Amino acid sequence: MAGNSAPRPAPPKPTWDPRIPARPLLRPTIRIRLTLLYGGMFLIAGILLLTIIYLLTAQALSSAGLPFRVISGVVQGTTPWCSLPPDGSTGEQLHEAVSACLQKQRNLALEDLLRRSLFALLGLSIIAFAFGFAMAGRVLSPLGRITRTARQVAGSDLSRRIELDGPDDELKELADTFDDMLERLERAFTAQQRFVANASHELRTPLAINRTLLEVHLSDPDAPVELRELGKTLLATNERSEQLVEGLLLLARSDNQIIERKPVDLAEVASRAIDQVRAEAEDKGVELRVRTEPTVVQGNGVLLERIALNLAQNAVRYNVQEGGWTEVTTGVEHGQAVLVVANTGPVVPAYEIDNLFEPFRRLRQERTGSDKGVGLGLSIARSVARAHGGHISAEPRAGGGLVMRVTLPR
């Protein structure tokens, strides 16, 4: 009994990776399918060409007669190119003439056969190329589907999937891998947006409570001067924190595609944005110029107004101290709606343009310590434009300032 209770030896370790699913040896891969397809096409074309050549040769041999005939012991030519010696010639001369006629006939038959064979080869080549083009398009059609899905995903629509059907070949494996990657990316982006949204919502409540308490203390007429100054400072800091939270929440919302779209007039959106910054522009001595024409797009009016407001606020705040101006125009260019905000201001190097659209980035300023904003305005504008299928660009203006151009599909 003791010998029977000995431990069994451990099984050998597998030589294959268990994470990789087992696939059959005769898997219908694209390499095998293309090999069979083009090999079969070549075989069929070769058989057809040989059959045509055989039939042409048989027809030429059956229809071609001798180029001469013998009548009453006299040999006479039957074709213009077969000339025989006159009567009374020797047998050697007649033999040479007959041989020349036969050789001429063989040459003509070969030339006719070659000409017909070339025409047959040309016809088969055209048919083979057309058939090969059609079959290659059918085999490679999943690539077009993958490409179209990738382009749709490039528009920030991570919910798209290829879901390719068909044989288990390399293209289906590529499509399945792409779908898995999209699913992981969608989960990651959704988790990120949910975190930002939840964090913003959670922060809004204590900030609102702090603002209420500070306003209550500041409304007390018996409060000391030092306490009132401190309260104003804390209230400004709290207001900036609220702006930051609202910006993060709007940024998380605008990263998604706009599902419900309604007609929105960019001229009306620009007018409302100008009305909101008019007081600040008057305080800073910045002239506002508005040149709008009705331009209707499909989108979310609140988010589009946020684009115009952020651009207008930046144009007013980052301006020159005297004689500055901000110009807002709307219109249609090349079949697309355009919102342009230009302003005077400091000279902006071209290599710093891209940095302006990054969150919490300002021109030659630190991330904190600025009373002009929280550094999310252009980031929000870019996200909202992308969510509407458009884009935003910036160009340095001659003499200082920027020209911000928002292009949206109509």
Side-chain angles (χ1 to χ4, degrees):
M1 298 296 295
N4 295 332
S5 61
R8 297 180 180 179
K13 295 183 179 180
T15 57
W16 47 274
D17 191 348
R19 294 172 296 179
I20 301 178
R23 299 186 182 275
L25 295 178
L26 297 179
R27 179 183 169 207
T29 62
I30 295 181
R31 183 176 184 179
I32 295 177
R33 292 166 60 191
L34 290 179
T35 301
L36 295 176
L37 175 63
Y38 290 109
M41 289 176 54
F42 180 78
L43 180 60
I44 294 174
I47 293 175
L48 289 177
L49 185 60
L50 288 177
T51 303
I52 293 174
I53 292 176
Y54 176 81
L55 294 177
L56 292 176
T57 304
Q59 181 184 4
L61 292 177
S62 61
S63 61
L66 294 175
F68 55 87
R69 62 183 177 178
V70 180
I71 302 177
S72 301
V74 179
V75 182
Q76 296 178 354
T78 59
T79 57
W81 43 265
C82 183
S83 59
L84 297 175
D87 296 340
S89 58
T90 62
E92 185 66 25
Q93 293 175 345
L94 181 60
H95 177 74
E96 292 179 357
V98 171
S99 298
C101 288
L102 292 176
Q103 183 63 34
K104 181 66 175 179
Q105 185 183 36
R106 284 194 296 269
N107 292 337
L108 292 176
L110 290 176
E111 291 177 0
D112 183 65
L113 178 62
L114 178 60
R115 183 172 59 255
R116 294 188 180 186
S117 300
L118 289 178
F119 281 117
L121 179 61
L122 179 60
L124 287 177
S125 299
I126 295 175
I127 296 174
F129 276 113
F131 185 75
F133 182 79
M135 289 297 100
R138 183 178 179 86
V139 172
L140 299 179
S141 59
L143 285 179
R145 187 172 175 180
I146 294 174
T147 303
R148 289 190 297 270
T149 305
R151 288 176 179 173
Q152 293 171 349
V153 171
S156 301
D157 187 6
L158 294 176
S159 63
R160 296 285 182 176
R161 297 293 183 271
I162 300 174
E163 297 178 351
L164 186 63
D165 298 328
D168 187 17
D169 55 11
E170 292 90 344
L171 291 180
K172 190 175 188 307
E173 185 177 357
L174 175 62
D176 294 342
T177 304
F178 193 76
D179 286 343
D180 293 340
M181 181 188 67
L182 290 179
E183 185 176 356
R184 291 193 298 269
L185 287 176
E186 184 180 15
R187 289 200 301 266
F189 277 99
T190 302
Q192 180 185 14
Q193 293 168 359
R194 187 183 300 112
F195 170 77
V196 173
N198 292 338
S200 301
H201 280 296
E202 292 296 329
L203 289 174
R204 291 168 74 179
T205 300
L207 289 175
I209 295 175
N210 291 340
R211 174 166 48 83
T212 303
L213 293 176
L214 290 172
E215 289 175 349
V216 170
H217 284 290
L218 289 177
S219 62
D220 185 5
D222 298 332
V225 178
E226 295 82 1
L227 184 60
R228 296 177 65 87
E229 292 297 328
L230 178 61
K232 291 180 180 179
T233 302
L234 293 177
L235 188 61
T237 303
N238 192 85
E239 181 180 1
R240 184 173 178 276
S241 299
E242 288 181 331
Q243 293 177 0
L244 175 61
V245 171
E246 291 292 337
L248 289 174
L249 182 60
L250 182 59
L251 185 61
R253 288 177 52 198
S254 61
D255 276 339
N256 296 322
Q257 287 287 325
I258 306 300
I259 299 177
E260 297 183 0
R261 297 173 180 263
K262 297 180 180 180
V264 180
D265 189 357
L266 284 185
E268 181 181 359
V269 167
S271 299
R272 290 185 178 181
I274 289 297
D275 292 340
Q276 296 181 56
V277 300
R278 193 177 299 278
E280 185 176 0
E282 292 177 355
D283 293 340
K284 294 182 176 295
V286 177
E287 178 188 359
L288 294 178
R289 304 174 183 176
V290 182
R291 294 189 299 107
T292 59
E293 61 181 53
T295 307
V296 179
V297 299
Q298 298 292 327
N300 184 290
V302 176
L303 294 179
L304 291 176
E305 183 179 342
R306 174 61 63 174
I307 291 183
L309 179 59
N310 287 353
L311 296 182
Q313 285 178 342
N314 283 346
V316 170
R317 293 172 181 175
Y318 297 92
N319 216 306
V320 294
Q321 296 181 355
E322 297 181 357
W325 54 264
T326 294
E327 183 179 62
V328 180
T329 60
T330 62
V332 178
E333 295 181 2
H334 306 291
Q336 291 187 317
V338 177
L339 169 67
V340 180
V341 179
N343 71 316
T344 54
V347 177
V348 180
Y351 59 83
E352 292 190 6
I353 293 296
D354 293 338
N355 295 334
L356 297 178
F357 292 95
E358 297 297 328
F360 308 107
R361 294 294 295 272
R362 306 182 188 87
L363 183 63
R364 304 189 193 92
Q365 292 187 4
E366 299 296 334
R367 295 167 59 94
T368 59
S370 173
D371 59 349
K372 296 181 179 180
V374 296
L376 288 174
L378 294 183
S379 301
I380 294 174
R382 181 178 62 178
S383 297
V384 173
R386 288 179 176 176
H388 284 79
H391 66 277
I392 181 173
S393 61
E395 297 179 358
R397 207 184 135 271
L402 290 172
V403 177
M404 309 294 296
R405 181 180 300 271
V406 181
T407 304
L408 299 171
R410 300 187 67 187

